[in-house]
Structure formats: C-alpha cells, structure tokens
Amino acid sequence: DGGITQSPKYLFRKEGQNVTLSCEQNLNHDAMYWYRQDPGQGLRLIYYSQIVNDFQKGDIAEGYSVSREKKESFPLTVTSAQKNPTAFYLCATRDRGTDTQYFGPGTRLTVL
Amino acid sequence: GQQVMQIPQYQHVQEGEDFTTYCNSSTTLSNIQWYKQRPGGHPVFLIQLVKSGEVKKQKRLTFQFGEAKKNSSLHITATQTTDVGTYFCAVTSGTYKYIFGTGTRLKVLA
C-alpha cells in the first residue's frame, strides 16, 4: 500500500469540467486498475492496464479515459460526459506472483 | 457477467460477539480473496483461498472455501473495536479482472 500514491486526496470540480486523478506506483507491478466506490457500495472496475501502452475498459468505462505511458503511472481522467462523477476513486496494482491487489489511499471527488 | 453475492450487507455486534460474512457465486471459482476496508480507508488484502474445502486462520479470523468452490465465509471470533470496517470478497475473472462483492459493513458496539 505504501508503494501506491494517489493525488489529490480530495478534489472538487465544477460540473462540465474534466479532471485528472493521479496514480503512481513503485512496486514494479505490470497491471494497474481504477475502481469507483460509491457510499455503501462495492468496488466497480473502470479501466485496467496489463502493461504499458495497453489498457482495457472495465464495467463502467463510459465518461472516463486513461493512459499508460509509463509502468509507474496510470492517470484517470473524469470527463464532463460522466453524468454522476461524485465518488471515491481507488487505484490498484496486481502482484503477479501472489495474484493479489494493492490499493492506493484513494481520491474523493466531489462535483459541485 | 459473473456476479458475487455477499451477505449480510450490514452487521452490528456487541464487542465480544462473533461475526460471519458470506460470499456466494453461481459458478465455480478458481480462487477467492478477502479484503478489509477501514472507515475512510482503502481495501487491504487479507487472504486468498484456492483449494476446495480450504480453511485458513489469522488470529481471530477464520476463512473457509466451500467444497464446491462456489462459496466462502469469513468468521471473526470475539469481535473487537479494531475489527470495524467493510469486508469484501473478490474473485478473479480471467487473468487480470477482479470482481468484488458488495461488502459487509461491520460495526462493533463497545
């Protein structure tokens, strides 16, 4: 967990604005993930990336975009097309050896 | 798509009481993982079960994988206030995708 940083911790945006959430890892893991969590809900997969320069849509990709130009970084952009973006966003990596996920501290996005 | 049902959604217990959460799938699972998320925090990996009928223990926590590999349980003996949080099960879908249960939120009353 200490090897994944997400910034900022809290983010406020006005309706109609795009915003980019940062995720950086130093765990040397190939696969990275973005999840969305709503109050009292489980985790829903937005996008994941198995390797640099490659990524796939998850279950709720509409209104989001990602890039994976570096192994360490997997930024998520929440576009104005996302109708209900207020949520807790969690970035994660996958340890290939143990098949387990490590999560960052999360970014709480509020749309005003 | 594959779904994982987790029950109960909420559980309030008195400190010292036991607690159990269950995860159920309609399909046979290759493995199942359990995570804990403290209030305001992020999920932290607890354990992975792979074998049919497998039982693993971590202090007061007992994890079990069903014989048919379609269900799993997490049991906490004599809960403490430090056990407060939401417990999630997760299963892998293919090599890279994970599907999380909806979680069980545990509150422990001192």
Side-chain angles (χ1 to χ4, degrees), chain B residues 12 17 56 70 76 99 109:
Chain B
H12 295 184
E17 291 183 340
K56 287 189 176 180
K70 289 185 176 182
I76 303 178
I99 298 171
L109 307 173

Side-chain angles (χ1 to χ4, degrees), chain A residues 13-60:
Chain A
R13 84 154 215 223
K14 293 181 180 179
E15 256 188 78
Q17 289 181 336
N18 291 355
V19 62
T20 298
L21 280 58
S22 167
C23 178
E24 303 283 329
Q25 58 112 347
N26 62 5
L27 299 171
N28 199 34
H29 291 164
D30 289 317
M32 297 186 72
Y33 303 76
W34 275 105
Y35 292 92
R36 170 182 171 138
Q37 186 176 34
D38 294 283
Q41 301 288 318
L43 282 68
R44 292 186 290 168
L45 181 63
I46 305 173
Y47 268 98
Y48 65 103
S49 168
Q50 301 174 21
I51 201 166
V52 174
N53 293 323
D54 182 66
F55 49 82
Q56 283 79 40
K57 293 183 178 179
D59 301 317
I60 56 165

Side-chain angles (χ1 to χ4, degrees), chain A residues 1 31 33 35 37 40-43 45 48 50 59 88 90 94 98-101 103-105, chain B residues 9-10 31 33 35 37 40-45 48 88 92 95-98 100-102 105:
Chain A
D1 296 25
Y33 303 76
Y35 292 92
Q37 186 176 34
Q41 301 288 318
L43 282 68
L45 181 63
Y48 65 103
Q50 301 174 21
D59 301 317
F88 187 44
L90 288 158
R94 172 181 175 261
T98 59
D99 197 24
T100 58
Q101 293 210 291
F103 286 84
Chain B
Q9 190 174 5
Y10 302 98
N31 60 54
Q33 301 175 351
Y35 292 79
Q37 184 178 23
H42 57 277
V44 174
F45 172 77
Q48 176 169 263
F88 293 98
T92 52
T95 303
Y96 288 93
K97 281 187 69 174
Y98 295 76
F100 283 78
T102 49
R105 186 181 298 179

